[in-house]
């Protein structure tokens, strides 16, 4: 973790790419959506944070476009797996900023196919003081999901803005949670969803 005024920044250098066939081999039960809620399963994303604070993940900008890429290359319709994972996953993490990334193909599902449809997330975070902005996200069940998750309490100061989102079942979500989860200060604006 960083601290107020001294965050830890993970910066993608020009043309940097995190690429793998898939970022996890966790397969959810058919009745469960998204990612595991237990604390034992940690290998479920390209970038994973638990109980961290004051972190900036910055893909950088080249030619006015997000630079840093996180991608999966072998998951989705026709690949014979139903693995569920995220590009960036943070559990109970506060004061997090995620910006200028291209997160691609967390689960590339063909339209009208009958394969498993609730897997894959671009960004999935629980906690407070979270900002997800100026990213391009494509092909996942959740492109951006920020909220209380499986931890009761209040998520505060959630901002999701200036993102471009395409080919996701749930483009932007700020409501995942369980009993006892509430929100205070959620702002979702200026996103392009198609």
């Amino acid at each position: 973790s960083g601290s107020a005024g001294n965050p830890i920044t993970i910066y993608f250098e020009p043309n940097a790419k995190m690429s793998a066939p898939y970022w996890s081999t966790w397969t959810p039960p058919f009745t469960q959506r998204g990612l595991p809620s237990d604390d034992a399963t940690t290998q479920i994303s390209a970038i994973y944070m638990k109980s961290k604070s004051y972190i900036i993940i910055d893909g950088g900008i080249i030619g006015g476009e997000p630079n840093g890429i996180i991608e999966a290359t072998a998951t989705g319709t026709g690949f014979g797996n139903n693995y569920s994972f995220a590009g960036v996953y943070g559990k109970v993490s506060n004061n997090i900023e995620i910006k200028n990334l291209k997160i691609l193909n967390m689960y590339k599902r063909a339209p009208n196919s009958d394969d498993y449809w609730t897997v894959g997330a671009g960004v999935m975070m629980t906690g407070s003081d979270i900002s997800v902005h100026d990213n391009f996200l494509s092909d996942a069940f959740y492109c951006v999901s920020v909220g209380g998750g499986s931890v009761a309490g209040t998520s505060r100061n959630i901002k999701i803005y200036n993102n471009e989102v395409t080919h996701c079942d749930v483009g932007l979500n700020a409501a995942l949670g369980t009993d006892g989860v509430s929100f205070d200060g959620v702002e979702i604006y200026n996103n392009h969803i198609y």
Side-chain angles (χ1 to χ4, degrees), residues 115-155:
D115 57 335
Y116 204 62
W117 58 274
T118 63
V119 295
V123 174
M124 185 170 273
M125 299 287 304
T126 64
S128 291
D129 299 300
I130 297 170
S131 175
V132 180
H133 64 94
D134 297 293
N135 300 290
F136 177 84
L137 302 107
S138 176
D139 294 289
F141 180 71
Y142 296 107
C143 268
V144 177
S145 182
V146 179
S150 61
V151 180
T154 301
S155 288

Side-chain angles (χ1 to χ4, degrees), residues 32-44:
Q32 181 176 338
R33 294 180 179 178
L35 299 172
S37 58
D38 62 50
D39 287 332
T41 308
T42 58
Q43 292 184 304
I44 54 172

Side-chain angles (χ1 to χ4, degrees), residues 151-168:
V151 180
T154 301
S155 288
R156 292 181 168 81
N157 304 321
I158 307 297
K159 295 182 181 179
I160 303 170
Y161 62 96
N162 293 346
N163 297 290
E164 187 170 348
V165 173
T166 185
H167 298 126
C168 295

